[in-house]
C-alpha cells in the first residue's frame, strides 16, 4: 500500500457534491464540503430530516464564525449553496455523492444502484460506512471501480481523519482523487484496503481489550486503570472512560463484528465484562452508568496512589533499557546520586531490583532469578511528562522492598500506583498489542506504516503512532514482550505479526529515522 501523499489535485471547487443521509454524519460532511466552497445537495428519505439538517449546518457555521474560523459572510453563503432535495434524481449533476445512511448492506447497495442510474458516468460514488465492505457494496454495481469508501470520523467537522477505503474493484485513480479532495477540504486522508474495521476500528481493538483483560484479572481499580493509560501512556482518555463515552452497545457491536469478520480470531475476542455491561443496560455516559458512574454528584473514579515513602539517596541505573537515560537524568535532577553501570537493565537499590516490565510477571522473574525482592515498573510513552508510574511486585517481595521502589519514583515527582502482578502490566501490554495490530495491518497490505500511524493520531488522538512507538521501543523488544505474554496466555491472542518478527530480526525501522510521527 502506498503512502497518502497527494500529487493529484482534488475535485474542482465548482463540483456539486451530493450527500445522502441528513443525520449525524451527513450533516457534518455537508458542512465540511460547504466550507470547501462546493454547492451541496443534501438528500434524505425522511422529509422532516432536511430542515433539521439545515438548522444543524447553520449552527455549525455560526460556531465557526464565533471562533473566528470563517468570516460572517460565509454563513449566509453556505445557506445559499446548501440545496435540500427529497428526490434522488435531483443528484443527477453531482460529481461526487457521499452516502451516509443507515449501516445496512442491502439498503446501501439499493441506494448506490439507483444513484448509478441518475449521475453522470464519470461521477464518483463514496460511502461513509464504518464497517461494511466496500467490495461487497460494489459487487452489485455496474461500475464498481468508481465506488470508494470515504470514512469520516464523528464529529466530521472536528476530527481530521478520513479513511479512503478501496474495495477490490475500486480504481486507484478514484481513491487518489478522493484522498486529494479530502486533503483540499482540510482533512488528513489515509489510504486503506477494505478489510474489517479498516484501519482505526481494527488497530484500536487492543486499547479496549487489554484494559478489560487486566480488569478481568482484577489487576487494579477502574479509576487506576484509566489513570495509568492517561497519565503514563499519554492517551487523551483511559480505555474504560472512552468506552463509556462511545457507548458499550456500539463498542461491543464493533468488537463482535471485527471478531466475526476475522472468523473468530482470538486476537479480537470480545470481553465478558463488556457483555455484562450491555446486558445490564449500563451503556456508559448516555445511560448514566458504564464502567464509571455519571449521575450528578457521582464521585470521580478513585486512583489508588501509594502512600509517601522515603526517597533513596542513591541508586544504580544499570544497562540500556528504554527510558534508562531519562530516568537517571530525572533522578539526578531530583538530587539523587546515580551510578550508571553496564549489565542487564535494572534500577538497583540496596537489595531491591526494580526492573522494566518485559511482559513476564515479577513473581516468575523472581523465581527464575532466585531472589525475592523484584519490583516491575510499567512502560510510558514519556517518563518525563508522565505523572504516574505503575508498579507491581513479586509475590515473594517484601513490603520494605516495595516501599523503597515506590520511594524511588516518588522522589522523581511521580505518583505511584501498585497493581497486581499481571503479565505486561497495563501500559506495556497495550502499547505492544497496538503495535502488533498495526504491524499486522501493514503485513497484510491494508495500509502503509505512515498511514496507519496517521490514522491513529488523527482519528483517535493517540499520543504517538503505534509503529513510531515500536521504533522507539525496538521491534525486537515488542516481539519479546508478546512472546512472554503468549507464554502466559497461550490462546493465540498474543502471537506476534510475521512482519514484526522480520523487522525485529533485520532491525529495520517502520519509519525513517527522525520521521515526525
Ligand atoms: P443517522 O441515523 O444519524 O443518519 C442516517 C440518515 O440516513 C437518517 O436521517 C435517515 O433518515 C437517512 N436514511 C436512511 N436510509 C436512507 C435511504 N435509503 N436514503 C436516504 N436517506 C436514508 O446515522 P449516522 O450516525 O449519521 O451514520 C450514517 C453512516 O455513517 C452509517 O453508515 C455509519 O456507520 C457511518 N458512520 C457513523 C459514525 C458515527 O459516529 N455516527 C461515524 C463514522 C461513520
Amino acid at each position: 500500500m502506498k503512502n497518502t501523499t497527494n500529487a493529484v489535485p482534488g475535485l474542482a471547487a465548482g463540483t456539486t457534491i451530493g450527500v445522502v443521509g441528513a443525520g449525524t454524519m451527513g450533516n457534518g460532511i455537508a458542512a465540511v464540503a460547504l466550507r470547501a466552497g462546493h454547492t451541496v445537495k443534501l438528500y434524505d428519505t425522511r422529509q422532516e430530516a432536511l430542515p433539521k439538517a439545515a438548522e444543524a449546518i447553520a449552527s455549525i457555521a455560526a460556531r465557526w464564525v464565533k471562533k473566528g474560523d470563517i468570516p460572517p459572510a460565509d454563513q449566509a453563503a453556505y445557506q445559499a449553496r446548501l440545496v435540500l432535495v427529497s428526490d434522488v434524481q435531483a443528484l443527477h449533476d453531482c460529481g461526487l455523492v457521499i452516502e451516509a445512511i443507515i449501516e445496512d448492506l442491502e439498503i446501501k447497495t439499493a441506494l448506490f444502484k439507483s444513484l448509478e442510474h441518475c449521475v453522470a458516468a464519470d461521477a464518483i460514488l463514496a460511502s461513509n460506512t464504518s464497517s461494511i465492505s466496500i467490495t461487497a457494496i460494489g459487487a452489485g454495481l455496474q461500475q464498481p471501480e468508481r465506488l470508494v469508501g470515504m470514512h469520516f470520523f464523528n464529529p466530521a467537522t472536528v476530527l481530521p481523519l478520513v479513511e479512503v477505503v478501496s474495495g477490490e474493484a475500486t480504481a486507484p485513480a478514484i481513491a487518489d482523487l478522493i484522498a486529494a479532495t479530502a486533503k483540499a477540504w482540510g482533512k488528513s486522508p489515509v489510504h486503506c484496503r477494505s478489510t474489517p474495521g479498516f484501519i482505526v476500528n481494527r488497530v484500536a481493538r487492543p486499547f479496549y481489550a487489554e484494559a478489560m483483560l487486566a480488569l478481568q484479572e482484577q489487576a487494579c481499580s477502574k479509576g487506576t486503570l484509566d489513570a495509568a493509560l492517561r497519565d503514563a501512556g499519554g492517551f487523551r482518555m483511559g480505555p474504560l472512560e472512552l468506552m463509556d463515552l462511545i457507548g458499550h452497545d456500539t463498542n461491543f457491536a464493533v468488537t463482535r463484528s471485527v471478531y466475526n469478520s476475522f472468523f473468530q480470531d482470538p486476537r479480537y475476542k470480545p470481553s465478558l465484562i463488556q457483555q455484562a455491561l450491555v446486558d445490564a443496560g449500563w451503556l456508559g455516559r448516555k445511560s448514566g452508568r458504564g464502567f464509571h458512574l455519571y449521575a450528578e454528584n457521582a464521585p470521580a473514579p478513585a486512583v489508588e496512589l501509594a502512600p509517601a515513602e522515603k526517597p533513596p539517596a542513591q541508586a544504580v541505573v544499570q544497562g540500556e533499557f528504554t527510558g534508562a537515560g531519562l530516568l537517571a537524568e530525572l533522578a539526578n535532577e531530583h538530587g539523587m546520586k546515580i551510578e550508571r553501570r553496564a549489565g542487564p537493565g535494572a534500577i538497583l537499590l540496596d537489595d531491591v531490583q526494580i526492573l522494566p516490565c518485559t511482559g513476564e510477571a515479577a513473581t516468575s522473574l523472581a523465581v527464575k532469578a532466585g531472589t525475592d525482592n523484584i519490583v516491575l515498573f510499567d512502560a510510558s510513552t514519556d517518563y518525563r511528562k508522565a505523572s504516574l508510574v505503575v508498579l507491581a511486585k513479586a509475590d515473594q517481595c517484601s513490603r520494605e522492598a516495595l516501599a523503597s521502589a515506590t520511594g524511588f519514583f516518588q522522589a522523581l515527582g511521580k505518583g505511584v500506583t501498585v497493581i497486581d502482578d499481571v503479565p505486561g502490566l497495563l501500559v506495556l501490554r497495550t502499547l505492544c498489542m497496538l503495535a502488533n495490530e498495526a504491524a499486522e495491518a501493514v503485513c497484510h497490505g491494508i495500509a502503509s506504516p505512515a498511514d496507519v500511524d496517521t490514522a491513529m493520531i488523527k482519528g483517535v488522538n493517540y499520543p504517538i503512532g503505534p509503529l513510531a512507538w515500536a521504533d522507539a521501543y525496538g521491534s525486537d523488544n515488542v516481539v519479546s514482550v508478546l512472546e512472554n505474554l503468549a507464554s502466559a496466555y497461550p490462546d493465540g491472542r498474543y502471537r506476534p505479526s510475521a512482519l514484526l518478527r522480520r523487522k525485529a530480526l533485520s532491525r529495520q525501522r517502520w519509519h525513517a529515522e527522525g520521521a515526525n510521527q
Side-chain angles (χ1 to χ4, degrees):
M1 252 282 149
K2 64 189 164 186
N3 280 352
T4 305
T5 44
N6 295 310
V8 275
L11 286 168
T15 309
T16 298
I17 307 297
V19 176
V20 183
T24 310
M25 295 307 291
N27 296 348
I29 295 166
V32 170
L34 285 166
R35 186 168 169 174
H38 295 278
T39 292
V40 173
K41 288 188 167 180
L42 184 58
Y43 163 62
D44 200 294
T45 41
R46 265 189 320 124
Q47 281 290 328
E48 67 277 18
L50 293 170
K52 278 196 188 144
E55 267 173 46
I57 292 167
S59 66
I60 291 169
R63 248 195 335 268
W64 284 337
V65 171
K66 204 168 165 197
K67 280 171 62 192
D69 292 348
I70 60 169
D74 282 15
Q75 198 178 338
Y78 293 179
Q79 254 172 328
R81 279 190 275 114
L82 176 65
V83 186
L84 306 174
V85 302
S86 51
D87 179 0
V88 73
Q89 294 299 327
L91 302 175
H92 67 93
D93 58 349
C94 293
L96 164 66
V97 180
I98 306 169
E99 164 276 312
I101 65 166
I102 184 172
E103 190 74 342
D104 180 295
L105 174 61
E106 269 181 39
I107 299 177
K108 283 191 196 286
T109 306
L111 170 73
F112 280 112
K113 279 184 175 168
S114 63
L115 282 169
E116 262 198 322
H117 291 114
C118 81
V119 297
D122 61 352
I124 299 172
L125 302 177
S127 173
N128 183 51
T129 179
S130 22
S131 64
I132 299 177
S133 157
I134 296 299
T135 304
I137 301 173
L141 303 186
Q142 283 171 8
Q143 281 180 263
E145 63 279 6
R146 63 162 157 170
L147 177 76
V148 64
M150 193 176 189
H151 185 208
F152 290 80
F153 286 70
N154 187 17
T157 48
V158 176
L159 288 177
L161 184 67
V162 175
E163 290 178 331
V164 178
V165 187
S166 290
E168 291 301 311
T170 306
I174 297 289
D176 283 345
L177 184 56
I178 289 305
T181 301
K183 200 163 189 187
W185 291 1
K187 296 295 177 187
S188 301
V190 292
H191 278 290
C192 68
R193 275 181 45 210
S194 183
T195 50
F198 308 142
I199 302 175
V200 168
N201 277 333
R202 170 192 181 154
V203 175
R205 291 330 318 144
F207 187 64
Y208 313 115
E210 292 307 311
M212 290 188 284
L213 286 164
L215 205 58
Q216 201 161 28
E217 294 195 5
Q218 307 177 72
C220 60
S221 75
K222 296 166 191 167
T224 301
L225 200 150
D226 274 343
L229 272 298
R230 243 185 0 243
D231 301 343
F235 291 90
R236 185 152 311 174
M237 292 179 83
L240 308 180
E241 57 189 346
L242 179 55
M243 283 183 273
D244 278 356
L245 180 68
I246 294 168
H248 290 284
D249 46 351
T250 305
N251 191 264
F252 190 56
V254 176
T255 303
R256 286 184 65 160
S257 145
V258 170
Y259 177 61
N260 289 323
S261 303
F262 280 102
F263 308 114
Q264 287 90 39
D265 186 328
R267 221 196 304 252
Y268 310 105
K269 197 168 172 181
S271 167
L272 282 175
I273 288 191
Q274 195 168 35
Q275 164 94 70
L277 289 178
V278 173
D279 288 349
W282 295 352
L283 303 179
R285 274 180 188 270
K286 62 185 171 189
S287 65
R289 178 171 195 167
F291 282 118
H292 304 298
L293 299 173
Y294 296 95
E296 224 176 304
N297 303 325
V303 182
E304 293 150 332
L305 286 178
E309 301 291 353
K310 196 167 151 245
Q314 57 190 42
V316 175
V317 176
Q318 179 178 278
E320 286 306 329
F321 56 90
T322 304
L326 184 53
L327 287 168
E329 200 178 295
L330 281 171
N332 261 320
E333 285 168 21
H334 285 84
M336 212 183 292
K337 196 167 160 247
I338 293 294
E339 182 195 334
R340 289 286 264 132
R341 184 193 290 172
I347 297 166
L348 307 174
L349 305 171
D350 295 330
D351 68 335
V352 188
Q353 292 186 35
I354 313 175
L355 306 180
C357 179
T358 55
E360 190 169 350
T363 304
S364 152
L365 287 165
V367 169
K368 277 191 196 162
T371 177
D372 288 351
N373 290 336
I374 289 201
V375 177
L376 295 181
F377 66 98
D378 205 350
S380 171
T381 43
D382 187 338
Y383 282 114
R384 182 171 285 281
K385 271 204 221 150
S387 54
L388 188 70
V389 174
V390 177
L391 301 184
K393 71 170 190 68
D395 288 351
Q396 51 277 66
C397 173
S398 71
R399 262 168 198 273
E400 294 71 24
L402 177 63
S404 300
T406 302
F408 173 83
F409 287 103
Q410 287 173 337
L412 272 47
K414 310 294 180 194
V416 169
T417 187
V418 180
I419 69 162
D420 198 27
D421 183 22
V422 292
L425 300 180
L426 304 175
V427 181
L428 186 67
R429 69 196 284 166
T430 304
L431 291 172
C432 287
M433 283 297 277
L434 289 172
N436 196 38
E437 200 51 48
E440 190 76 335
V442 174
C443 182
H444 293 175
I446 309 310
S448 69
D451 277 0
V452 170
D453 276 2
T454 300
M456 304 317 288
I457 294 168
K458 301 286 185 183
V460 270
N461 277 318
Y462 281 12
I464 182 171
L467 296 172
W469 179 80
D471 277 342
Y473 188 72
S475 289
D476 51 344
N477 292 326
V478 179
V479 168
S480 84
V481 170
L482 292 169
E483 282 172 342
N484 285 333
L485 284 164
S487 88
Y489 306 100
D491 63 353
R493 175 175 175 76
Y494 294 98
R495 65 188 191 277
S497 159
L499 188 56
L500 185 67
R501 282 191 189 281
R502 246 174 63 198
K503 293 273 182 193
L505 286 172
S506 65
R507 299 197 171 262
Q508 274 186 2
R509 299 171 60 86
W510 295 95
H511 301 293
E513 192 104 35
N516 186 20
Q517 281 295 323

